[in-house]
Amino acid sequence: STIKMGTESAGNFDNIHISNCQLLSARLGGIKLLSVDGAILENVEISDVTMLAGHIPIFLRLGGRLKTFRPGDPKKDVGMLRNISIRRLQATAEGPGIVMSGIPGHRIQKVRMDDIDLRLSGGGKKDEGDVVLPEAVDAYPEITMFGRHLPAALLYARHVEGLEISRLKS
């Protein structure tokens, strides 16, 4: 029920194309592209997706948990999350729309989004706009890693370089 790549990744992901999907019960999120254990996740194109997400439709996370998977394996350096394209997405969700977060010194690179239509429940409070999210560099990559409230309802992005968004509506 979700498109998810990257948690506990011992290898890299590249040149991935996903299209024409219906995610009808993506209760824990819709599109999750994650690199927290040193993987390089790049050249991903996602298009023509319709989803009913109980929570966040798009979550991109570059982190530094750097878990190893076999005894004696050396820790990798922080990976990369780059060249991501998401086009023609329609989503209904209860939570925030899009969250993208790299970490200090390591940015998510070249993200393009076009024709994104999000129907969000809203309901945030004015003081939530002042919330400062923890970096949570070495945390497991779930939206709950940032706490209960986000300072944005539609789009939150930090440590991102080369972000291009057109035709984003809510």
Side-chain angles (χ1 to χ4, degrees):
S1 339
T2 65
I3 297 170
K4 182 178 180 186
M5 291 173 245
T7 309
E8 298 196 359
S9 306
N12 299 329
F13 300 76
D14 64 8
N15 300 321
I16 298 169
H17 301 267
I18 298 170
S19 64
N20 299 313
C21 296
Q22 290 185 340
L23 308 176
L24 300 178
S25 61
R27 290 181 301 151
L28 299 177
I31 297 170
K32 295 180 178 183
L33 305 180
L34 317 163
S35 174
V36 297
D37 295 321
I40 296 172
L41 193 148
E42 64 183 342
N43 304 324
V44 176
E45 292 184 16
I46 299 172
S47 64
D48 302 297
V49 174
T50 302
M51 77 173 73
L52 177 58
H55 206 50
I56 186 167
I58 301 173
F59 181 41
L60 307 181
R61 173 63 171 172
L62 174 62
R65 183 177 73 161
L66 306 177
K67 179 179 176 180
T68 57
F69 301 96
R70 292 176 291 272
D73 279 356
K75 282 196 174 195
K76 291 184 173 187
D77 292 330
V78 173
M80 294 183 175
L81 184 56
R82 64 183 175 204
N83 297 329
I84 309 299
S85 173
I86 301 173
R87 297 176 290 127
R88 295 182 302 278
L89 172 99
Q90 293 181 347
T92 301
E94 295 172 10
I98 302 166
V99 175
M100 293 180 254
S101 182
I103 56 176
H106 301 278
R107 295 178 180 191
I108 297 171
Q109 301 171 357
K110 296 183 182 175
V111 176
R112 290 170 305 283
M113 294 187 186
D114 179 44
D115 197 8
I116 309 294
D117 186 357
L118 303 176
R119 307 289 179 201
L120 304 173
S121 61
K125 296 183 173 102
K126 185 178 179 183
D127 62 339
E128 290 172 4
D130 296 329
V131 170
V132 176
L133 301 186
E135 293 290 350
V137 171
D138 58 357
Y140 182 85
E142 282 295 342
I143 194 62
T144 56
M145 68 195 294
F146 297 125
R148 295 183 46 92
H149 303 288
L150 294 176
L154 179 58
L155 169 66
Y156 178 82
R158 70 172 170 194
H159 308 300
V160 179
E161 178 181 328
L163 175 60
E164 297 176 21
I165 299 177
S166 57
R167 297 186 296 170
L168 172 62
K169 46 187 170 170
S170 172

